[in-house]
Amino acid sequence: MSGAFAYSGLTTKIRAMHGNLISKEDYSTLANLTSVTEVIQFLQKHPAYSNTLPGNVDESFYHRGKLEQYLTLSLYNDFAKIYNFATLSQRKYMQLCFLTYETRFLKQLFRELTNDGRITSDFSVLAPFYDKFSSIDFDKVVHSSSIGDLIDNQKNTAYYEPLSKVADITSPTLFDYELCLDLHKYTIFWKKKKKYLSGIDLKVTTDAYGFKIDLLNIQWIYRCHKYYNMTSPQIYALVIPISHHLKFHELKSLVEADNIQDFMDRLSGTYYGNYIPDLDNGSIEKYFESLMLRQYKKLFRNSPYSLACVNTYLYLRELEIEKIIKITE
């Protein structure tokens, strides 16, 4: 089946959904609001959120934690819309993509158990999506009473073994669990994508996720050298063991740099040397976000009748939600 034929309907659907993304003018309006209540009231009237955020609510609804749950729900709703419009092979790939949302969800549970000693958020609006797309026993994990309980409640999932290994080390931290989840997510995704994809779909997905993994590795290694003065063995433990444009010998060279200037000199000789002229001129996270956004848009522009349309739209929605949360903070 040709790409144009297989994706004509899906691409048309996603282009229509693009029209409901928050505009620059909307962001300007949001930034000038003075309370979480005003942000919610604005979003209740916005096409992307009007069907997700309830219209008639009491005062208990108007706080950031509740808003974040419904923003996540709006993303899941869009994911489900695309899934329902997709072919069987496209659906198999999208179920693999749900790893990103599972990982984010589990991180939040680990944070709440670490910071509060219990899970305080109400995740009930997300339950139907985990019943449909995830192997996680949603009801069990949201009622976990401790870190150990949360890990035990995942015995029938792929998360149990790597998280158990973290639990076995001396005094594991929240960072250890979050790093474990990130490494697991990217490693599983990278291994399984070839099982579900081929041709242009495999290429655009490899180019998107490979670019992201390379940037994450560069970012993490940069931070280790600049802020934490970590040793090479300590840095290796943080690196995602996947190579795309950044080859393994180049990754090794960056890890073993003597200092931040040596790191920058070595980075200049890689594929990303021209992309990253000087990381000290601003926020590394913001700079990498702009590079990642440019990559997704380029892939969609060059291959609109492929999974690039799905990958790009979902990435834009994730960025949108992050921006709304930052504004409310």
Side-chain angles (χ1 to χ4, degrees), residues 172-286:
T173 65
L174 176 61
F175 175 81
D176 294 320
Y177 288 113
E178 291 191 339
L179 177 64
C180 171
L181 288 168
D182 280 332
L183 293 176
H184 174 79
K185 173 184 67 176
Y186 287 114
T187 303
I188 294 298
F189 183 92
W190 199 255
K191 286 180 179 178
K192 288 191 174 182
K193 61 183 173 60
K194 290 184 179 180
K195 179 179 178 181
Y196 303 117
L197 304 178
S198 61
I200 188 63
D201 283 340
L202 178 60
K203 182 181 185 305
V204 297
T205 300
T206 299
D207 284 344
Y209 280 85
F211 196 90
K212 179 185 289 186
I213 290 168
D214 282 348
L215 289 183
L216 282 172
N217 276 334
I218 292 170
Q219 179 175 304
W220 291 351
I221 297 169
Y222 172 86
R223 284 177 178 165
C224 290
H225 284 304
K226 185 172 179 64
Y227 301 112
Y228 304 111
N229 196 30
M230 296 173 70
T231 65
S232 295
Q234 289 173 322
I235 300 174
Y236 277 123
L238 307 180
V239 171
I240 303 169
I242 292 168
S243 169
H244 186 49
H245 292 306
L246 190 66
K247 305 308 178 188
F248 278 119
H249 72 275
E250 293 172 328
L251 195 62
K252 181 175 182 291
S253 176
L254 294 179
V255 169
E256 297 179 1
D258 294 328
N259 50 53
I260 195 64
Q261 186 56 55
D262 189 27
F263 169 88
M264 294 303 302
D265 291 342
R266 297 183 186 202
L267 181 62
S268 67
T270 72
Y271 173 89
Y272 295 94
N274 293 327
Y275 283 91
I276 309 168
D278 187 357
L279 294 180
D280 285 330
N281 280 339
S283 164
I284 183 174
E285 292 83 4
K286 187 175 181 180

Side-chain angles (χ1 to χ4, degrees), residues 7-22:
Y7 282 94
S8 58
L10 188 58
T11 300
T12 301
K13 174 71 173 176
I14 290 177
R15 285 188 186 279
M17 294 168 71
H18 264 271
N20 288 333
L21 291 171
I22 298 287

